[in-house]
Amino acid sequence: MSRHRPVIACTVPIRKTFRELSSIQPVPFGVRQGSVLGPLLYVLYTAELFHVITRHQLRLHMYADDSQVYISTPADDATDTLARLSAAIADINDWMKASRLCPNPSNTQVMWLGTKQQLDKIVIKDVPLLSTVVTVVDSAHDLGVITDSQLSMDAHIAALRQHAITVGSYDWMS
């Protein structure tokens, strides 16, 4: 297969009216936004990513086009865990390039999760991943929820409170 040919290609009938279909249109590189085939084709296209992740004994969570890689480890093993994570990220990067996807290092975040006592044992604040260094964050947005490193929901509640105050003040002023 040529390097410039699509990995997934299909033809999709586009409905003109309820009773009439238009001619079949080739879709060489993806599907139209909002297509019912979009989620199915994305799952098929990215299914191999699970195998890439599990080779490194990591876990993967995907929702739509958002992916999170997880690993559970004692705080004392943080350095060894980062080595495994870095190797997995390198393999993910290779898989993405081979699958004609573009990794976005600016959207990559690393966060340690645990109790305050466990987190105090981890002194690693910068994580080298591929050709960049990712600073460990204390909180991150995940599907509309702000998760903090102690899973306390404090950051999420503070953001909701601030949003309510901001929206409330505009309502009061109008």
Side-chain angles (χ1 to χ4, degrees):
M1 181 180 279
S2 166
R3 184 170 177 234
H4 299 289
R5 291 239 171 112
V7 176
I8 293 179
C10 64
T11 55
V12 180
I14 299 172
R15 190 171 293 280
K16 282 184 176 177
T17 66
F18 182 69
R19 297 181 190 269
E20 180 184 359
L21 292 178
S22 66
S23 61
I24 292 180
Q25 302 294 316
V27 183
F29 296 103
V31 294
R32 296 170 62 96
Q33 184 74 22
S35 165
V36 295
L37 287 177
L40 176 62
L41 290 176
Y42 183 79
V43 168
L44 291 172
Y45 196 74
T46 60
E48 190 180 337
L49 184 57
F50 281 96
H51 301 294
V52 173
I53 300 295
T54 56
R55 276 198 305 260
H56 296 276
Q57 289 125 15
L58 304 175
R59 295 187 188 121
L60 176 66
H61 175 258
M62 296 178 74
Y63 183 83
D65 63 349
D66 189 26
S67 303
Q68 291 100 29
V69 177
Y70 295 93
I71 186 167
S72 178
T73 185
D76 298 334
D77 294 342
T79 304
D80 294 336
T81 300
L82 279 183
R84 282 178 43 208
L85 179 64
S86 292
I89 296 296
D91 284 354
I92 291 167
N93 188 57
D94 292 344
W95 174 84
M96 289 182 77
K97 287 180 179 176
S99 300
R100 300 175 56 167
L101 297 171
C102 297
N104 188 350
S106 66
N107 283 350
T108 301
Q109 295 179 310
V110 174
M111 182 168 58
W112 298 111
L113 300 172
T115 64
K116 180 170 177 10
Q117 293 80 11
Q118 292 169 326
L119 294 172
D120 287 343
K121 294 178 186 177
I122 301 173
V123 295
I124 301 167
K125 301 299 179 198
D126 293 320
V127 179
L129 293 176
L130 301 174
S131 60
T132 187
V133 175
V134 177
T135 300
V136 175
V137 297
D138 292 324
S139 64
H141 289 263
D142 185 22
L143 301 174
V145 176
I146 301 173
T147 305
D148 62 37
S149 59
Q150 294 181 35
L151 299 175
S152 69
M153 300 298 290
D154 290 346
H156 185 71
I157 292 168
L160 287 176
R161 183 181 314 121
Q162 183 61 42
H163 179 72
I165 290 169
T166 303
V167 170
S169 67
Y170 287 125
D171 289 342
W172 178 75
M173 296 171 83
S174 55

